[in-house]
């Protein structure tokens, strides 16, 4: 309801984290997979967040999935 009222997108990162952990956390580790210390994201955690957000960002910007932003430099 809040997302509708504010016209904001909701990306449920918690659901994505839980799904990842259900598939990869065989030893029930509290950290070391998606976080370094249970709070701060690891490289894998940052990658998961990026993979979760990228489709929404592309859709909002009207960029097809196969397109890559041009590099400037």
């Amino acid at each position: 309801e809040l997302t509708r009222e504010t016209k904001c997108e909701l990306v449920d990162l918690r659901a994505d984290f839980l799904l990842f952990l259900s598939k990869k956390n065989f030893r029930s580790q509290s950290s070391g997979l998606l976080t370094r210390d249970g709070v701060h994201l690891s490289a894998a955690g940052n990658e998961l967040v990026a993979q979760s957000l990228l489709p929404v960002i592309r859709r909002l910007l009207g960029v097809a999935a196969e397109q890559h932003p041009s590099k400037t430099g």
Side-chain angles (χ1 to χ4, degrees):
E1 183 178 333
L2 181 61
T3 58
R4 206 172 36 247
E5 290 174 9
T6 59
K7 298 179 183 172
C8 292
E9 287 287 327
L10 173 68
V11 179
D12 190 352
L13 295 175
R14 183 175 186 277
D16 294 340
F17 272 54
L18 291 175
L19 180 62
F20 177 92
L21 292 173
S22 72
K23 293 179 178 180
K24 305 281 185 178
N25 192 6
F26 304 115
R27 291 187 238 147
S28 297
Q29 295 172 251
S30 61
S31 64
L33 292 172
L34 296 175
T35 65
R36 292 180 280 128
D37 54 10
V39 177
H40 301 94
L41 293 176
S42 65
N46 283 313
E47 179 69 25
L48 181 61
V49 169
Q51 288 175 1
S52 297
L53 295 177
L54 189 56
V56 175
I57 293 169
R58 282 187 168 146
R59 183 174 48 75
L60 291 172
L61 294 176
V63 177
E66 60 276 353
Q67 290 179 328
H68 298 284
S70 61
K71 293 182 180 178
T72 59

